[in-house]
Amino acid sequence: MKTQTAVNPHNRTRWLTLVGTIITQFALGSVYTWSLFNGQLSQKLDASVSQVAFSFGLLSLGLALASSVAGKLQERFGVRNVTIGAGLLMAVGFFLTAHSDSLLMLWFSAGVLVGLADGAGYLMTLSNCVKWFPERKGLISACAIGAYGLGSLGFKFICSYLLSVYSLESTFLIWGGLAMSMIIFGALMMTDAPVQQTNGAQGVATARDFSLAESMRMPQYWMLALMFLTACMSGLYVIGVAKDIGEGMVHLSAQTAASAVTIIAIANLSGRLVLGILSDKMARIRVITIAQVVSLAGMSILLFTSMNETTFFISIACIAFSFGGTITVYPSLVSDFFGLNNLTKNYGVIYLGFGIGSVMGSLIASLFGGFTVTFSLIMTLLVISLVLSATIRLPNQPAKLKATYNHSEA
């Protein structure tokens, strides 16, 4: 009876943290509805759509930068306080966006401020939640990151409705208030995860937790970073220009090519759920290998076949599936290599690859012109990443633990 009394509060706390994290992630994912506003903002500010859309590039970069320092903030203020701060900053960002009368103001408010707010909450709450469930890290990552993805879908309908009823300015104000309320409500349910023991699920154990400085001195860290950058670059670039690929390379009608958005959303969410759950049943690095093979298949179709409507949708579905699965599995994978206790910091620097990858594809395409050069570079990086995932091993592990991990890969 005493044991049950001791266990229940712990279980209740971690399940409350999970629910709070899912609510918060759903609200944070709302930023991916940004394309809904490009047209009206372009008219309001008398600027091109590409100039307005640049604010989302800044948002992605701010998100990645804030994610990399969120671990330090959590150490000092705790997950609840930092998440509340992220909610408040997001509301300020949307408030200023509603009143933006120049491109610079828009880039600062919708790009920098909203991006920093999103990044401060995203990775930190995800990592904290994963630490509460060391025995099912893949499933918990899938739940949290799946909620982030569903947030973009849910708020697409919410924001579309708001735009049909209210002015552009009022829509931003309501969106900011709603997102802030959800983030703060979720934050109040969260508790900082306890310090983890140095053994993990699926028979994988780390000899100890590596600090960020220790991790960054190891070749495995940069191997994982390159693989993550490659996955983000391929996923974000193809997702961002899927409609243009359909019209330009496959010669589909604008309406048919636009169906790519739905295909991508379904494939992305499927990748998060399928590969996230699978990562609790086999070595996570092998799950990444599977994701790389699927992405290579999609990229090969884009590069080496005469595409039609069917093969076009298959190719982008493969790449979106791989991208969604990779970003779901990676937090748990990094914890397998470098420990759970410093996960937010260790993964935070690797997560900068998300921001870099979000601009690299577009930059290369604009410099060299067209899709082919970018696809070829991504294909090369995917092959290199596949070799890395097949050869990487846990750092500084006792022989017994290495044997256990290698056996689970087989």
Side-chain angles (χ1 to χ4, degrees):
M1 195 70 183
K2 287 182 181 177
T3 305
Q4 189 171 350
T5 304
V7 170
N8 277 345
H10 175 85
N11 272 338
R12 182 174 178 274
T13 299
R14 69 177 190 162
W15 286 108
L16 276 174
T17 298
L18 174 60
V19 172
T21 301
I22 288 172
I23 293 170
T24 295
Q25 291 282 338
F26 187 90
L28 292 172
S30 68
V31 297
Y32 284 88
T33 61
W34 185 252
S35 61
L36 290 174
F37 300 90
N38 286 338
Q40 289 194 37
L41 283 169
S42 173
Q43 293 176 1
K44 176 185 175 182
L45 301 177
D46 193 23
S48 68
V49 169
S50 60
Q51 287 176 313
V52 171
F54 180 65
S55 55
F56 188 75
L58 289 174
L59 187 154
S60 299
L61 195 58
L63 193 160
L65 289 170
S67 294
S68 68
V69 300
K72 287 284 187 184
L73 293 173
Q74 184 184 0
E75 279 185 357
R76 182 165 184 181
F77 301 107
V79 67
R80 184 177 298 170
N81 291 331
V82 177
T83 306
I84 290 172
L88 293 171
L89 182 60
M90 181 168 280
V92 170
F94 281 123
F95 176 82
L96 293 177
T97 300
H99 295 91
S100 293
D101 55 6
S102 68
L103 273 174
L104 283 177
M105 184 67 175
L106 179 72
W107 291 344
F108 173 71
S109 57
V112 177
L113 292 185
V114 175
L116 290 175
D118 211 71
Y122 168 71
L123 182 57
M124 178 194 63
T125 57
L126 167 64
S127 301
N128 183 69
C129 195
V130 168
K131 290 176 194 175
W132 272 111
F133 296 86
E135 76 283 6
R136 47 171 79 96
K137 293 186 286 187
L139 176 61
I140 297 304
S141 289
C143 288
I145 298 178
Y148 190 80
L150 283 173
S152 65
L153 187 61
F155 269 86
K156 176 185 175 183
F157 295 105
I158 293 170
C159 291
S160 295
Y161 172 75
L162 291 174
L163 281 172
S164 70
V165 177
Y166 301 103
S167 67
L168 179 66
E169 291 76 12
S170 297
T171 297
F172 279 125
L173 292 174
I174 296 169
W175 178 11
L178 182 58
M180 178 191 71
S181 301
M182 292 179 70
I183 292 168
I184 292 176
F185 180 72
L188 294 174
M189 301 172 74
M190 296 178 201
T191 304
D192 286 280
V195 175
Q196 302 296 314
Q197 300 300 314
T198 56
N199 57 335
Q202 27 164 214
V204 178
T206 52
R208 62 188 177 88
D209 286 284
F210 295 95
S211 68
L212 177 59
E214 291 170 332
S215 299
M216 291 179 74
R217 287 196 288 268
M218 298 177 185
Q220 290 95 329
Y221 191 82
W222 299 107
M223 292 164 77
L224 291 176
L226 179 60
M227 287 188 276
F228 186 75
L229 170 64
T230 301
C232 289
M233 181 179 170
S234 61
L236 292 168
Y237 177 68
V238 172
I239 288 170
V241 298
K243 183 173 179 288
D244 304 298
I245 296 171
E247 292 182 66
M249 290 182 66
V250 196
H251 308 297
L252 300 175
S253 68
Q255 186 176 0
T256 304
S259 300
V261 176
T262 305
I263 300 292
I264 286 169
I266 294 170
N268 195 325
L269 185 59
S270 299
R272 295 172 192 231
L273 296 174
V274 172
L275 296 186
I277 293 169
L278 187 62
S279 71
D280 281 334
K281 303 181 183 300
M282 62 187 291
R284 291 186 179 90
I285 192 65
R286 292 288 75 85
V287 178
I288 295 299
T289 303
I290 293 170
Q292 291 166 340
V293 171
V294 171
S295 189
L296 270 170
M299 201 60 66
S300 298
I301 293 172
L302 289 174
L303 269 176
F304 304 123
T305 67
S306 298
M307 287 192 296
N308 55 39
E309 182 179 335
T310 303
T311 55
F312 166 64
F313 287 137
I314 290 173
S315 65
I316 61 169
C318 286
I319 293 165
F321 180 92
S322 172
F323 171 65
T326 298
I327 63 173
T328 299
V329 173
Y330 241 78
S332 302
L333 178 67
V334 172
S335 75
D336 286 344
F337 274 76
F338 306 110
L340 265 174
N341 289 315
N342 297 317
L343 174 59
T344 308
K345 287 180 283 188
N346 286 333
Y347 183 44
V349 175
I350 289 177
Y351 196 77
L352 286 171
F354 185 94
I356 297 169
S358 70
V359 298
M360 265 187 69
S362 301
L363 184 63
I364 291 164
S366 63
L367 287 175
F368 296 100
F371 301 122
T372 307
V373 173
T374 313
F375 290 162
S376 300
L377 174 62
I378 290 171
M379 185 90 172
T380 304
L381 288 173
L382 279 169
V383 172
I384 293 170
S385 294
L386 186 60
V387 173
L388 292 178
S389 73
T391 56
I392 194 170
R393 293 294 180 265
L394 293 172
N396 298 337
Q397 299 293 1
K400 182 178 178 181
L401 292 179
K402 277 189 176 179
T404 302
Y405 187 75
N406 292 337
H407 176 71
S408 69
E409 290 179 347

